């Protein structure tokens, strides 16, 4: 039997995935599971989704042939410009999809959790767009670290609630959001920001983000007279931009998929977020997947210079892609990512998010053939990372 890289009817990707949730949460997740496929398949849903992606987000994003970069690396490099999306990254593709679903389920109160604040901003944005109440849970420490994004969320009308327990970071914010959802099962929709969480979230988010690979196919046909590149490269935090960039190529094994994780200060340094390489199977956010943990199963604090890759787990689809070797996983250090980021600015006039710079750094680690078509998903723009660039390079 051919291996499937998509979710099965029980919510699993191979041995990963599922919905490991407290019983109190079961009705909410079950409602979503029963309805997400039928609602999102409705013509009126598809029309509204695609019209907002076009008119509000600015899609399709260009598939840009990076001429100078290609000359430097002696191969054909295309950049999928998710950095040009409204709010500066791919995350809005997903929040648009989920808020339309929330509306159709009759929910008028939206909750979310956020680490670096990027998903909080993308959620607050679509709540403002739809006039819905928005509560974003965020660790107290993250609130201090990410002041500009907290200000953005407030400007957009969201309430930012601090999570004050535990390490006061993302996983604590997630716990608070889950507690809220249990207490408000009827009117509340929980917008999750990556291909993580209990089934059906990973599949639902992957489908919303799959617009990325759908566009890559159409655009490559124009540029190269083929729908299929030789390589697709994307960075992985939870895995949503990679899932979207890989989605329509999953079953075409002639397309090589490269998932790029953050090695932080080095895979063996104890300060990294190279989840697939260092992780063991466990349950996080209601999903069975690879995650970084201690001997006795306590989740390890991840580290990366890029806030968006600083996540202790990886979505179940990616665990499966890793296990089956369908995707190659490469870990890139802080230093290599920062160098690749500033190199893109100087070579192409594009300042990438540091997350995306991890994907670019693969160009230095792998040799591609001159005729290879290499698509790199540029998940976001670097404006939010300016201070990190300034401090790192003494600009
Ligand atoms: C959040 C973020 C990521 C990581 O999230 P994924 O779900 O793995 O895509 C990557 N790049 C940017 C620019 C981000 O904001």
């Amino acid at each position: 039997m051919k291996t499937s890289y998509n979710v099965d009817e029980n919510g699993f990707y191979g041995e990963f995935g599922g919905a490991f949730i407290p019983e109190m949460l079961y009705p909410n997740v079950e409602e979503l599971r029963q309805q997400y496929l039928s609602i999102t398949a409705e013509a009126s849903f598809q029309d509204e989704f695609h019209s907002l992606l076009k008119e509000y987000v600015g899609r399709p994003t260009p598939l840009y042939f990076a001429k100078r970069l290609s000359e430097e690396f002696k191969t054909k490099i295309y950049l999928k410009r998710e950095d040009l999306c409204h709010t500066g990254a791919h995350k809005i593709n997903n929040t648009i999809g989920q808020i339309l679903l929330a509306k159709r389920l009759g929910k008028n109160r939206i909750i979310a959790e956020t680490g670096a604040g990027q998903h909080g901003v993308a959620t607050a944005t679509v709540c403002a767009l739809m006039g819905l109440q928005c509560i974003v849970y965020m660790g107290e420490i993250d609130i201090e670290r990410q002041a500009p994004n907290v200000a953005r969320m407030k400007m957009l009308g969201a309430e930012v609630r601090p999570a004050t327990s535990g390490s006061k970071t993302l996983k604590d914010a997630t716990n608070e959001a889950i507690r809220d959802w249990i207490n408000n099962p009827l009117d509340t929709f929980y917008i999750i920001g990556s291909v993580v969480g209990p089934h059906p979230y990973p599949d639902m988010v992957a489908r919303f983000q799959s617009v990325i690979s759908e566009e890559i196919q159409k655009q490559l046909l124009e540029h190269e007279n083929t729908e299929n590149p030789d390589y697709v490269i994307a960075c992985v935090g939870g895995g949503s931009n990679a899932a979207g960039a890989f989605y329509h190529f999953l079953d075409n094994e002639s397309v090589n998929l490269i998932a790029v994780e953050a090695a932080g200060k080095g895979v063996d340094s104890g300060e990294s977020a190279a989840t697939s390489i260092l992780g063991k199977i466990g349950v996080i956010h209601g999903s069975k997947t690879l995650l970084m943990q201690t001997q006795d199963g306590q989740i390890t604090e991840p580290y990366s210079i890029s806030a968006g890759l600083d996540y202790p787990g990886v979505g179940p689809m990616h665990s499966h892609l890793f296990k089956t070797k369908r995707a190659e996983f490469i870990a890139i250090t802080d230093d290599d990512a920062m160098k690749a980021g500033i190199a893109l600015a100087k070579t192409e006039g594009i300042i990438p998010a540091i997350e995306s710079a991890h994907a670019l750094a693969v160009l230095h680690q792998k040799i591609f053939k001159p005729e290879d078509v290499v698509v790199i998903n540029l998940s976001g723009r670097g404006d939010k990372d300016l201070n990190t660039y300034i401090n790192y390079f003494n600009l």
Side-chain angles (χ1 to χ4, degrees):
M1 212 181 86
K2 202 166 165 290
T3 311
S4 166
Y5 302 105
N6 275 302
V7 79
D8 68 21
E9 60 276 19
N10 300 316
F12 279 85
Y13 299 84
E15 63 187 288
F16 305 103
F20 298 84
I21 49 173
E23 204 170 312
M24 306 272 286
L25 215 55
Y26 183 78
N28 309 44
V29 174
E30 183 57 16
E31 177 186 32
L32 195 58
R33 190 189 68 79
Q34 284 182 9
Q35 304 214 45
Y36 82 110
L37 288 176
S38 58
I39 292 178
T40 54
E42 284 167 13
S44 68
F45 182 98
Q46 286 293 322
D47 287 350
E48 196 176 357
F49 181 55
H50 286 287
S51 141
L52 282 171
L53 289 184
K54 178 164 180 254
E55 309 291 341
Y56 188 72
V57 175
R59 303 204 73 90
T61 60
L63 182 70
Y64 164 68
F65 176 65
K67 186 160 173 285
R68 293 203 338 116
L69 202 63
S70 297
E71 279 164 8
E72 184 181 340
F73 289 97
K74 300 186 173 53
T75 188
K76 290 196 263 184
I77 302 167
Y78 286 87
L79 303 177
K80 182 58 175 160
R81 300 290 309 275
E82 294 302 293
D83 60 313
L84 296 177
C85 290
H86 177 46
T87 70
H90 66 290
K91 285 194 174 73
I92 189 107
N93 303 326
N94 167 48
T95 56
I96 295 254
Q98 287 196 50
I99 203 143
L100 293 180
L101 190 55
K103 279 208 319 179
R104 279 162 174 76
L105 289 170
K107 315 281 179 180
N108 51 29
R109 181 176 178 274
I110 301 296
I111 58 170
E113 92 287 326
T114 196
Q118 295 299 111
H119 173 58
V121 169
T123 303
T125 299
V126 296
C127 287
L129 178 68
M130 296 295 166
L132 296 185
Q133 186 190 357
C134 181
I135 296 159
V136 180
Y137 290 93
M138 191 169 184
E140 206 168 36
I141 290 182
D142 289 333
I143 289 180
E144 274 166 40
R145 287 193 291 206
Q146 310 288 345
N149 277 339
V150 175
R152 284 186 186 102
M153 287 184 263
K154 288 183 178 165
M155 284 185 73
L156 293 160
E159 181 193 337
V160 180
R161 287 197 190 160
T164 55
S165 63
S167 56
K168 304 181 174 61
T169 58
L170 178 62
K171 70 175 160 49
D172 313 289
T174 304
N175 290 340
E176 294 292 331
I178 289 174
R179 202 164 300 149
D180 181 312
W181 208 22
I182 289 174
N183 291 329
N184 300 282
L186 294 178
D187 64 342
T188 298
F189 190 97
Y190 181 15
I191 296 190
I192 293 184
S194 190
V195 284
V196 301
H199 179 66
Y201 278 98
D203 183 48
M204 180 171 71
V205 176
R207 285 166 184 263
F208 290 143
Q209 293 291 1
S210 72
V211 64
I212 299 173
S213 48
E214 192 183 316
E215 288 175 7
I216 292 173
Q217 287 186 318
K218 284 191 195 133
Q219 293 166 320
L220 260 192
L221 199 56
E222 280 171 31
H223 286 287
E224 294 284 339
N225 214 11
T226 167
E227 284 194 334
N228 300 313
D230 296 290
Y231 292 87
V232 182
I233 307 176
C235 66
V236 173
S240 70
N241 86 86
F246 295 168
Y247 196 85
H248 290 285
F249 304 114
L250 286 171
D251 292 324
N252 181 348
E253 310 245 352
S254 73
V255 180
N256 296 288
L257 308 176
I258 301 182
V260 187
E261 292 184 318
K265 296 183 175 162
V267 171
D268 300 317
S269 68
E271 288 183 82
S272 104
T275 313
S276 63
I277 295 157
L278 297 172
K280 293 196 182 57
I281 197 160
V283 171
I284 184 171
H285 298 175
S287 172
K288 192 196 271 190
T289 192
L290 294 172
L291 63 124
M292 303 201 307
Q293 49 190 307
T294 58
Q295 290 285 4
D296 48 357
Q298 292 296 312
I299 292 168
T300 320
E301 275 295 316
Y303 163 81
S304 163
I305 194 165
S306 69
L309 301 186
D310 193 347
Y311 181 74
V314 65
M317 176 202 272
H318 295 290
S319 292
H320 186 52
L321 293 176
F322 176 76
K323 186 82 190 284
T324 57
K325 299 193 165 67
R326 171 66 186 94
E328 178 182 1
F329 280 68
I330 295 181
I332 294 292
T333 61
D334 287 356
D335 290 339
D336 288 343
M338 294 305 284
K339 276 183 221 142
I342 206 156
L344 185 73
K346 292 201 173 12
T347 313
E348 293 287 349
I350 299 169
I351 300 174
I354 299 172
E355 292 86 353
S356 323
H358 284 73
L360 291 160
V362 166
L363 292 170
H364 293 270
Q365 304 240 328
K366 257 186 103 76
I367 311 253
F368 298 99
K369 296 201 282 288
E371 66 275 19
D372 280 342
V373 172
V374 180
V375 174
I376 301 177
N377 198 38
L378 210 67
S379 55
R381 68 177 84 124
D383 306 35
K384 68 179 177 64
D385 296 321
L386 217 56
N387 270 326
T388 313
Y389 279 121
I390 289 169
N391 293 334
Y392 188 89
F393 290 109
N394 272 319
L395 300 170

